[in-house]
Amino acid sequence: MIAAHERTITAICWSPDDSNLFASCSVSKKVAIWDLDNEEERFATKLADAPVLMDWACVGDKIAIALDSGQVLLWEYTQQDKQTKLFSVGSNKARVLRWHPRQASRLLLGDADGALHVYHTANGKKTLILGKSKTSKDSVTDGQW
């Protein structure tokens, strides 16, 4: 058994390269990568705010994390625990977070206002895709590439 977190787990994701590894995050602001066979923690980091969503990039060494504050971070756990802020969408707005399945430089975020944000990590370009009327309050509920 893996005793992963002291508080509620908010998201998990599997490594695309190693079926033995998965990442989890919790309200305690901790994100960790776990080795299932050895039942141990491989990497961990502490965040400034509670994570609500996460997704592992197809190249395997980057995890995107959406925080409750609206910030979206890139955690490169093999590079001395490097955390980079990518962009913000507003407090408590992130609903869906997905890396492109074949291109690790594209990240999709769906928000509570019904908009999609496509972020290009290679050049910092952010494309906003509005899919709602001005009166709609429906959030994005799923996003697949």
Side-chain angles (χ1 to χ4, degrees), residues 2 5 8 22 27 43 50 53 56-57 67 79 82 110-111 114 120 138:
I2 298 173
H5 297 279
T8 303
F22 77 97
V27 174
F43 300 93
L53 299 167
W56 208 315
L67 305 180
Q79 296 183 22
K82 182 180 177 184
D111 71 22
H120 304 269
D138 296 329

Short mmCIF file of all heavy atoms in Angstrom, two decimals, residues 2 5 8 22 27 43 50 53 56-57 67 79 82 110-111 114 120 138:
data_model
loop_
_atom_site.label_atom_id
_atom_site.label_comp_id
_atom_site.label_asym_id
_atom_site.label_seq_id
_atom_site.Cartn_x
_atom_site.Cartn_y
_atom_site.Cartn_z
N ILE A 2 0.47 2.25 -0.76
CA ILE A 2 1.19 3.52 -0.80
C ILE A 2 0.39 4.54 0.00
O ILE A 2 -0.77 4.82 -0.33
CB ILE A 2 1.36 4.01 -2.25
CG1 ILE A 2 2.20 3.03 -3.06
CG2 ILE A 2 1.97 5.40 -2.28
CD1 ILE A 2 2.29 3.35 -4.53
N HIS A 5 -0.78 10.75 0.52
CA HIS A 5 -1.03 12.13 0.91
C HIS A 5 -1.75 12.19 2.25
O HIS A 5 -2.49 11.29 2.62
CB HIS A 5 -1.89 12.83 -0.15
CG HIS A 5 -1.21 12.93 -1.49
ND1 HIS A 5 -0.29 13.91 -1.77
CD2 HIS A 5 -1.33 12.19 -2.61
CE1 HIS A 5 0.13 13.76 -3.02
NE2 HIS A 5 -0.48 12.71 -3.54
N THR A 8 -6.94 15.18 0.94
CA THR A 8 -7.67 14.67 -0.22
C THR A 8 -6.85 14.76 -1.51
O THR A 8 -6.28 15.80 -1.81
CB THR A 8 -8.98 15.47 -0.40
OG1 THR A 8 -9.73 15.38 0.80
CG2 THR A 8 -9.79 14.93 -1.56
N PHE A 22 3.00 6.66 -11.69
CA PHE A 22 1.88 7.58 -11.79
C PHE A 22 2.15 8.76 -10.87
O PHE A 22 2.96 8.69 -9.95
CB PHE A 22 0.54 6.90 -11.45
CG PHE A 22 0.30 6.67 -9.99
CD1 PHE A 22 -0.46 7.55 -9.25
CD2 PHE A 22 0.81 5.55 -9.36
CE1 PHE A 22 -0.70 7.33 -7.90
CE2 PHE A 22 0.59 5.31 -8.01
CZ PHE A 22 -0.17 6.21 -7.27
N VAL A 27 -4.83 18.37 -1.92
CA VAL A 27 -5.17 19.65 -1.30
C VAL A 27 -4.02 20.16 -0.42
O VAL A 27 -3.87 21.35 -0.22
CB VAL A 27 -6.47 19.50 -0.47
CG1 VAL A 27 -6.80 20.75 0.30
CG2 VAL A 27 -7.63 19.11 -1.38
N PHE A 43 9.68 11.15 -6.90
CA PHE A 43 9.88 12.59 -6.95
C PHE A 43 8.71 13.26 -6.23
O PHE A 43 7.62 12.71 -6.21
CB PHE A 43 9.89 13.12 -8.40
CG PHE A 43 10.95 12.54 -9.27
CD1 PHE A 43 10.70 11.42 -10.06
CD2 PHE A 43 12.22 13.11 -9.33
CE1 PHE A 43 11.68 10.89 -10.89
CE2 PHE A 43 13.19 12.59 -10.14
CZ PHE A 43 12.93 11.47 -10.92
N ALA A 50 -3.14 24.95 -3.86
CA ALA A 50 -3.66 23.60 -4.05
C ALA A 50 -3.85 23.27 -5.53
O ALA A 50 -4.47 24.04 -6.26
CB ALA A 50 -4.99 23.44 -3.32
N LEU A 53 -5.94 20.05 -11.09
CA LEU A 53 -5.85 19.21 -12.28
C LEU A 53 -4.39 18.97 -12.62
O LEU A 53 -3.53 19.80 -12.28
CB LEU A 53 -6.50 19.90 -13.49
CG LEU A 53 -7.97 20.25 -13.41
CD1 LEU A 53 -8.34 21.19 -14.55
CD2 LEU A 53 -8.83 19.00 -13.46
N TRP A 56 0.23 14.49 -17.64
CA TRP A 56 1.62 14.16 -17.95
C TRP A 56 1.83 14.27 -19.46
O TRP A 56 1.07 13.68 -20.24
CB TRP A 56 1.88 12.72 -17.52
CG TRP A 56 3.28 12.38 -17.14
CD1 TRP A 56 4.42 12.71 -17.80
CD2 TRP A 56 3.68 11.60 -16.02
NE1 TRP A 56 5.51 12.17 -17.16
CE2 TRP A 56 5.08 11.49 -16.06
CE3 TRP A 56 3.00 10.97 -14.98
CZ2 TRP A 56 5.81 10.78 -15.11
CZ3 TRP A 56 3.73 10.27 -14.05
CH2 TRP A 56 5.12 10.18 -14.11
N ALA A 57 2.82 15.02 -19.89
CA ALA A 57 3.11 15.20 -21.32
C ALA A 57 3.57 13.90 -21.95
O ALA A 57 4.15 13.03 -21.28
CB ALA A 57 4.16 16.28 -21.51
N LEU A 67 -3.64 25.07 -10.75
CA LEU A 67 -3.84 25.37 -9.33
C LEU A 67 -5.20 26.01 -9.10
O LEU A 67 -5.79 26.60 -10.00
CB LEU A 67 -2.74 26.31 -8.83
CG LEU A 67 -1.29 25.86 -9.03
CD1 LEU A 67 -0.34 26.91 -8.47
CD2 LEU A 67 -1.05 24.51 -8.40
N GLN A 79 14.56 18.01 -13.71
CA GLN A 79 15.46 19.17 -13.76
C GLN A 79 15.44 19.92 -12.44
O GLN A 79 14.93 21.04 -12.34
CB GLN A 79 15.08 20.10 -14.91
CG GLN A 79 15.23 19.46 -16.25
CD GLN A 79 14.90 20.44 -17.36
OE1 GLN A 79 14.95 21.64 -17.20
NE2 GLN A 79 14.57 19.90 -18.52
N LYS A 82 12.09 21.75 -11.21
CA LYS A 82 11.79 23.01 -11.88
C LYS A 82 10.29 23.21 -12.07
O LYS A 82 9.61 22.37 -12.66
CB LYS A 82 12.50 23.04 -13.24
CG LYS A 82 12.30 24.32 -14.01
CD LYS A 82 13.04 24.26 -15.33
CE LYS A 82 12.81 25.50 -16.16
NZ LYS A 82 13.45 25.39 -17.47
N GLY A 110 -9.59 23.82 -20.51
CA GLY A 110 -10.99 24.25 -20.59
C GLY A 110 -11.36 24.91 -19.28
O GLY A 110 -11.02 24.40 -18.21
N ASP A 111 -12.07 26.04 -19.34
CA ASP A 111 -12.35 26.77 -18.10
C ASP A 111 -13.82 26.81 -17.73
O ASP A 111 -14.68 26.34 -18.48
CB ASP A 111 -11.71 28.16 -18.13
CG ASP A 111 -12.38 29.15 -19.07
OD1 ASP A 111 -13.55 28.96 -19.42
OD2 ASP A 111 -11.70 30.12 -19.43
N GLY A 114 -16.52 28.37 -20.13
CA GLY A 114 -16.84 27.74 -21.40
C GLY A 114 -15.81 27.97 -22.50
O GLY A 114 -16.07 27.67 -23.66
N HIS A 120 1.03 27.07 -26.27
CA HIS A 120 2.18 26.49 -26.97
C HIS A 120 3.42 26.74 -26.10
O HIS A 120 3.91 27.87 -26.05
CB HIS A 120 2.34 27.13 -28.35
CG HIS A 120 1.11 27.02 -29.18
ND1 HIS A 120 0.88 25.97 -30.04
CD2 HIS A 120 0.02 27.82 -29.27
CE1 HIS A 120 -0.29 26.14 -30.63
NE2 HIS A 120 -0.83 27.24 -30.18
N ASP A 138 -22.02 28.04 -18.77
CA ASP A 138 -21.65 26.63 -18.77
C ASP A 138 -20.14 26.48 -18.87
O ASP A 138 -19.49 27.11 -19.68
CB ASP A 138 -22.32 25.90 -19.93
CG ASP A 138 -23.83 25.89 -19.81
OD1 ASP A 138 -24.33 25.89 -18.68
OD2 ASP A 138 -24.49 25.89 -20.86
#
